[in-house]
Amino acid sequence: MSNADVDLETAESLARARLAEALRHPGESTGSDVARLAELADAITTALERGEIPEKRTVEEARFRADRIETRLDEVTALFGWHPWDAGANWGSLPDDRRAEIEDRD
């Protein structure tokens, strides 16, 4: 399949739908990355408030979900052609090629 075979409008629509589902509010979806992160953060908070040690795997999964959310936000930024800095990216979240591009430009 070549680029000529890709319907850009359909591709953008599919990308929007996938990103919207991944970032959906916990009240609207229990399976989104945001919903799962909220659930994990609640479990961590509950343990801390009770004076307990949170489960290590809960913290690990929360970090994993947070990374996935950051990746989805990077994809939203790229989908609309925004510069990462304008959309609040931090230096550590930029891929090496983007860091090199910014260093060369600056």
Side-chain angles (χ1 to χ4, degrees):
M1 177 185 291
S2 70
N3 286 343
D5 297 333
V6 175
D7 178 359
L8 295 179
E9 196 171 302
T10 300
E12 182 178 322
S13 176
L14 290 171
R16 284 174 179 253
R18 184 181 66 81
L19 290 167
E21 185 56 37
L23 296 170
R24 194 163 305 284
H25 186 278
E28 299 173 7
S29 170
T30 58
S32 73
D33 289 326
V34 172
R36 185 67 183 133
L37 178 59
E39 182 181 307
L40 295 162
D42 183 58
I44 293 166
T45 301
T46 299
L48 293 171
E49 289 175 342
R50 290 180 178 166
E52 300 169 353
I53 298 172
E55 294 286 332
K56 182 180 174 190
R57 68 179 171 4
T58 303
V59 174
E60 289 170 349
E61 187 179 349
R63 286 183 179 277
F64 171 76
R65 294 296 173 157
D67 287 344
R68 282 179 53 128
I69 292 167
E70 186 171 3
T71 299
R72 299 294 91 78
L73 294 173
D74 290 344
E75 290 173 5
V76 170
T77 301
L79 179 64
F80 296 105
W82 298 332
H83 191 283
W85 292 123
D86 295 336
N90 62 44
W91 188 253
S93 70
L94 295 175
D96 291 340
D97 60 330
R98 292 302 301 244
R99 288 184 203 177
E101 175 189 326
I102 292 167
E103 287 174 346
D104 289 345
R105 189 185 60 222
D106 292 345

